[in-house]
Amino acid sequence: MAKKKRPTPIEELVVPPQNHHICGTICVCQMTAILSSVALVYLSMAIYFPSMRTFYSGVIEQPFMCTTSKVVIVDKCTWGSCGEWCLSKTSGACAQIYVNLRENGTSLQFRNCSNTYNRTCYGIDENNVKRYHCKQEECKNLSGTYNCTAGTCIGISDVFDCVFHKTGEPLNCTGVRGKIHCMDIDGLNSCAKGICAKIHEPYNCDRRCSGIPTRNKNVILLSGDRVYVSQCADVAVEQADTMAAAANSLAQLQSVADGNETAPQPATAAAPPTVPWNASERTALMASCYTVEGRPDQVLATDCVNGTVVTGGLFPDVSNFTFLHAFTVAHEGNRTFQERQIAPLETDLLIANDSRLLINLEGCVNTLRDECRQFIKEYGKDGADHNARARFPCFYSAMDASLVVARFNMDGTYREFLPAIIVPASLLVVSCFTLILCQRTVEVGDDAKMRFKRRSRRATVAQAGGAAADDQLRETHAFISAAADDVDDSADHHSVNL
């Protein structure tokens, strides 16, 4: 006879233990939920709140121009132009940069140019210059012109040529008592083998940047510490009414900021380039521009201001940087383009003086890459070291011109804000949903192991429980019926006896 197959015990039909998969899923979801929550809290201070302030700041997205006016180092910092960590308030000493805010100048295209020459006239690099400390007996061999502050001297003879007529009593920085004599030396001094005398006013220090050919040149452009000279046929301007267009745009933005919504004006076709100056006038054109790019037969300049036309033949064959800069300043109001509409005077474009400059709306960065040191070095050039002042694009709100920022990018803020809120929020929602699903579908058995609940088993248990309840209900009804019959029989027997 064939051996009958033994039926499988009920306990062996249970789904095999799934501890590794279930526990791993729960642990990963819990970790994801915790990290996502922490990320949302941290990003609230780092991205969400700054982004919302950017969205509602009212800052004009069109860049304007700023020129550094002064830099102040304060011991107790109430505000700073740049801080290295946004989660902690700036304390201690900090740098405060003030700028002059103005509208943009004019872009000029000089055509048919020849004999173009450019030169960079370097000033004193305060960060890398050699310093002589008289208290350490380093001033005993000084020779030349030195700028001294509290016993520390910097040589300027290689950069500036100073002419003076009167000096003070000489100080002997040599010998045994030399460091005592010169430990408090201050001001501009003329030294010879350790004997230094303070230079009294009046004196004149010209930057040693000579040999700039200006003979037969009718275009002279200054861009910071750079000089461009050339001989060009004419100059073309893409938009003649630059100031009027800028003023109209600013008025519309101010109207929108005040709540007076206006319909956008239809775009008009670009006007053909105008030619406000040409070489046939036998004059020379001078201007100060933000950037100057020399090409084989033309020169392109942006943000040009203080445009001046002077009579030709006023320049010597060879000039230096100081002469050209002083000549530009002295003649900047003589004759301007198109009644100051093209390359206008800087004073005509001025919006605000001594506005506070911040690196961004928060005044700080979170990269921890020492950005503020480079920012102060680049934007903190106020001309105190006889170098050109910093000149750069900046942004401001039409409602408050006393505050400007160097970095503002609305599109970049959106690109940073959306992933920063979508990714952690999505991970948090998915992980929490998975944990809730596990809580509803996973059970712990008598052996302390996690298993998925079996639907068929739950149904069997429910059916068994229902059948037991029905049997108990029927027994209850039968008991009640029997009790009622006993009561009736007792009543009948009592009646018969009576």
Side-chain angles (χ1 to χ4, degrees), residues 144-363:
T145 305
Y146 290 83
N147 187 18
C148 302
T149 303
T152 301
C153 298
I154 298 175
I156 64 172
S157 299
D158 295 337
V159 180
F160 294 96
D161 182 16
C162 296
V163 178
F164 53 91
H165 302 284
K166 186 178 180 180
T167 60
E169 184 178 354
L171 298 176
N172 188 358
C173 300
T174 63
V176 179
R177 301 182 61 84
K179 63 179 182 180
I180 299 177
H181 295 157
C182 300
M183 63 184 304
D184 295 325
I185 190 172
D186 197 76
L188 197 64
N189 289 265
S190 176
C191 301
K193 296 182 179 181
I195 307 298
C196 298
K198 186 174 182 178
I199 300 175
H200 293 298
E201 294 182 351
Y203 61 85
N204 182 41
C205 293
D206 294 335
R207 191 179 300 190
R208 291 183 183 273
C209 190
S210 58
I212 302 175
T214 53
R215 183 180 181 181
N216 297 328
K217 299 294 191 297
N218 57 6
V219 173
I220 299 176
L221 303 176
L222 301 180
S223 178
D225 292 324
R226 302 176 67 186
V227 180
Y228 286 81
V229 294
S230 184
Q231 185 176 3
C232 302
D234 57 25
V235 59
V237 182
E238 293 296 332
Q239 185 178 0
D241 199 9
T242 304
M243 286 186 62
N248 185 33
S249 176
L250 186 60
Q252 291 183 359
L253 290 170
Q254 181 65 50
S255 177
V256 173
D258 295 338
N260 301 324
E261 298 290 341
T262 57
Q265 299 296 328
T268 58
T274 60
V275 182
W277 173 88
N278 57 68
S280 62
E281 299 180 7
R282 298 185 181 278
T283 55
L285 187 153
M286 305 179 66
S288 174
C289 304
Y290 174 53
T291 62
V292 180
E293 179 185 358
R295 295 185 179 180
D297 60 344
Q298 58 181 323
V299 177
L300 303 179
T302 62
D303 186 51
C304 293
V305 295
N306 299 331
T308 305
V309 178
V310 297
T311 304
L314 296 180
F315 301 104
D317 293 345
V318 179
S319 303
N320 58 39
F321 180 85
T322 303
F323 171 80
L324 294 177
H325 185 271
F327 191 90
T328 303
V329 174
H331 294 80
E332 64 182 11
N334 286 0
R335 178 183 173 189
T336 56
F337 291 149
Q338 303 287 323
E339 297 182 356
R340 299 185 178 182
Q341 294 297 316
I342 299 177
L345 296 180
E346 194 168 5
T347 54
D348 295 341
L349 300 175
L350 190 64
I351 299 175
N353 278 322
D354 292 338
S355 299
R356 295 179 297 159
L357 174 67
L358 302 181
I359 187 172
N360 50 34
L361 286 174
E362 301 301 315

